[in-house]
Each structure stands twice: as C-alpha cells, then as structure tokens.
Amino acid sequence: MIYAIPNDNYPKTDQFTEEIIYKDENDFEWRIARIVNGFIVKYFGDVYFSPTTFECELKTGKTVRIKNTLCIFFKETDFDTFYHVREVIKKGYTDDIWDTFEELFTDRLNENKDVLESEVIDF
C-alpha cells in the first residue's frame, strides 16, 4: 500500500533500520528510510519542482487528487517494490519520479479506493 503522509512523519534516526540518500538526475536529494513495516521516501529538493497533487485517473473514469506531502509511505511491500522505487530515484529525473508515484497511487486506487492517511482534494 502507498500513502502520502505528513512530512513530519519521516522517521528519526532511531526509528529506521536503514537510510539511503540519493540525488536524482536533477541533483535533488531523496531519502529512503527502511522501517519495520515498509519504507518511507522523502523529497528534500526544491518544492517548485514537485507537484502539489497526484491526479489519479481511475478505470471508472473518476479522477482522484491526492495532496503531495513530499513524503510517501510504502506499507508492507515486497523487495521488488523497494528496488523499483530505489532505481527510479537513482536514475530518474525529478518529474519522472513524481510520475512514478502518481502511477503507483493510481494502481492502488484502482485496486482499493481507501486512501486512509492520504489527503484527498476535491475539485
């Protein structure tokens, strides 16, 4: 499961098992913190280059907007998901990384419409 969580929820040093720091192709910093039940990705770059929302176009034809908090939680995921996200951050440009997160949110919402901690924005 993927969630946009408040920026303050990025774990402190004693709360993660590992932290990996990468710079994307635009030289913006991203951090991945592995925790007991998943991993959290946080963007430390210029907010000008981040979208304010993820616009998820669902199979039903409905569009759901999720507020981008710059902090994304992947709960109870497998290593393949972690590896995929890590590789996108290591090798991608900032906008490509955000597009990947939007695709992952869209996939999740097509499977399960419950977004729990993520803030949905009406339009």
Side-chain angles (χ1 to χ4, degrees):
M1 299 295 239
I2 180 174
Y3 306 98
I5 61 172
N7 230 338
D8 301 355
N9 287 11
Y10 188 79
K12 311 264 184 290
T13 304
D14 62 339
Q15 296 173 316
F16 56 75
T17 57
E18 173 185 25
E19 182 180 49
I20 306 166
I21 301 169
Y22 292 113
K23 291 207 175 198
D24 63 24
E25 288 295 320
N26 297 100
D27 210 31
F28 292 124
E29 185 175 298
W30 296 79
R31 293 183 184 200
I32 304 172
R34 295 185 77 169
I35 57 176
V36 174
N37 61 340
F39 64 97
I40 298 173
V41 177
K42 185 172 178 182
Y43 176 66
F44 287 86
D46 189 332
V47 294
Y48 177 81
F49 297 101
S50 65
T52 55
T53 61
F54 298 107
E55 294 199 22
C56 306
E57 295 182 25
L58 306 182
K59 293 176 186 174
T60 61
K62 181 180 177 185
T63 299
V64 175
R65 284 187 182 166
I66 297 173
K67 181 180 178 184
N68 182 2
T69 60
L70 310 178
C71 196
I72 311 297
F73 176 35
F74 293 83
K75 183 179 181 182
E76 298 173 4
T77 58
D78 57 13
F79 181 78
D80 291 341
T81 303
F82 171 77
Y83 180 81
H84 172 67
V85 170
R86 184 185 70 185
E87 291 301 301
V88 168
I89 292 170
K90 280 173 55 175
K91 299 176 182 176
Y93 289 92
T94 309
D95 55 343
D96 297 330
I97 297 166
W98 291 122
D99 289 347
T100 297
F101 291 152
E102 185 172 274
E103 290 169 13
L104 292 168
F105 272 112
T106 301
D107 290 347
R108 176 182 172 215
L109 289 171
N110 277 318
E111 291 176 22
N112 179 355
K113 296 187 180 19
D114 182 23
V115 290
L116 297 175
E117 291 89 354
S118 302
E119 183 177 339
V120 176
I121 306 207
D122 295 323
F123 60 100

